[in-house]
Amino acid sequence: MPRFFCFLALLPLSFSAQAQLRVSPLAPAAVPVALRHSGRVVQALRYTDRTGTYTVLATQSGPAADPAAQSSDGQRADLYAYQYSAAGPAPTWQLHDFEADCPLDIQASFRPRGLTVTDLDHNGTAEVWLVYRTTCRGDVSPSTQKIIMYEGPHKYAVRGTTRIASGSGPPDGGTYTLDAALRAAPVAFRQHAAQLWQQHRDE
C-alpha cells in the first residue's frame, strides 16, 4: 500500500512538469529594446518552462560587403540566435554562423518557422530548435543546412546539405549527420531532429 501511495504522489509532479511549458510568438516589433543583438530580428518567441521565462530571437544581417574578402566583390552574411531570461538582458546562450568572402549568390538565413520549442522528454525543461541554411554558390547545388537545439545550456547539432533536383537524374544532397551529443541523447530528440530535417530538406 505505501508503494501505491508513492506512485500516486509522483503523478502530479510528472503532469505538472509537462504542463509548465508555455510558448507564444513574439512580433519582431515587440522585442524589448533592452535585448541587444546583432542583425535584424526575423523570428522571435517567448516561453516558460519549469526553470523560468525566456525570450528567443533569430536574427540575420543579410548580404553585405566583406571587408576581409580576397576580392572587391566578396560578400558576407551572418545569422545569430539569442536566448534571454527574464532576469536580465544578457543572453543565457547565443549562436553565430555565417558565410564569408563570397563573390557569388550568398545566403545565411533561418528557415520559415525554423524556430520552435518542445519538451520531448517531458522533464519540464524546454528544447529550443533552430533550422537554417548557409551557402555561397553560382550554380544549382545543395546548400549547407543545420539544425541546432538547446536544452538549457546543452547544445545538440545536425549538419548536412539540402536536397535539390538535378535534371532528370536523382536528387543531389539531402544527407546529414548527428553530432556526438545528439547521438547520445534521448531517442525522442533524434526522432524529432529527423522529422525536422525531412520537413526542411528540399529546395
Side-chain angles (χ1 to χ4, degrees):
M1 185 65 69
R3 291 182 180 178
F4 177 73
F5 283 121
C6 287
F7 175 73
L8 289 179
L10 289 173
L11 283 177
L13 295 176
S14 174
F15 286 125
S16 175
Q18 296 180 45
Q20 281 181 1
L21 181 61
R22 300 191 301 275
V23 185
S24 58
L26 185 64
V31 172
V33 295
L35 304 183
R36 287 174 289 183
H37 58 273
S38 297
R40 174 178 61 90
V41 177
V42 292
Q43 296 176 48
L45 57 78
R46 186 169 288 136
Y47 75 87
T48 300
D49 66 5
R50 70 178 179 83
T51 67
T53 297
Y54 302 88
T55 301
V56 184
L57 309 181
T59 75
Q60 301 168 188
S61 71
D66 186 351
Q70 299 297 312
S71 61
S72 59
D73 55 353
Q75 303 175 88
R76 179 185 179 99
D78 295 74
L79 57 77
Y80 308 84
Y82 306 86
Q83 176 172 281
Y84 310 85
S85 73
T92 59
W93 57 253
Q94 64 183 66
L95 168 74
H96 176 213
D97 208 340
F98 61 91
E99 193 72 47
D101 196 6
C102 176
L104 306 170
D105 292 331
I106 189 171
Q107 178 187 26
S109 60
F110 289 94
R111 299 290 297 142
R113 297 177 297 279
L115 169 59
T116 54
V117 177
T118 60
D119 182 15
L120 300 171
D121 55 359
H122 307 299
N123 65 353
T125 300
E127 304 104 27
V128 179
W129 300 84
L130 298 146
V131 187
Y132 64 89
R133 294 176 182 173
T134 60
T135 189
C136 173
R137 63 186 178 190
D139 58 3
V140 181
S141 57
S143 303
T144 296
Q145 182 164 280
K146 298 180 184 178
I147 300 174
I148 304 297
M149 187 269 278
Y150 284 89
E151 185 188 37
H154 305 293
K155 180 181 177 182
Y156 305 82
V158 183
R159 299 179 176 91
T161 63
T162 59
R163 189 176 72 168
I164 194 165
S166 180
S168 59
D172 188 16
T175 61
Y176 65 88
T177 59
L178 310 179
D179 73 349
L182 195 49
R183 291 197 300 270
V187 172
F189 289 5
R190 298 195 296 276
Q191 290 175 337
H192 189 69
Q195 292 170 357
L196 281 179
W197 193 270
Q198 294 298 315
Q199 178 182 341
H200 294 280
R201 177 191 61 188
D202 293 338
E203 290 200 64

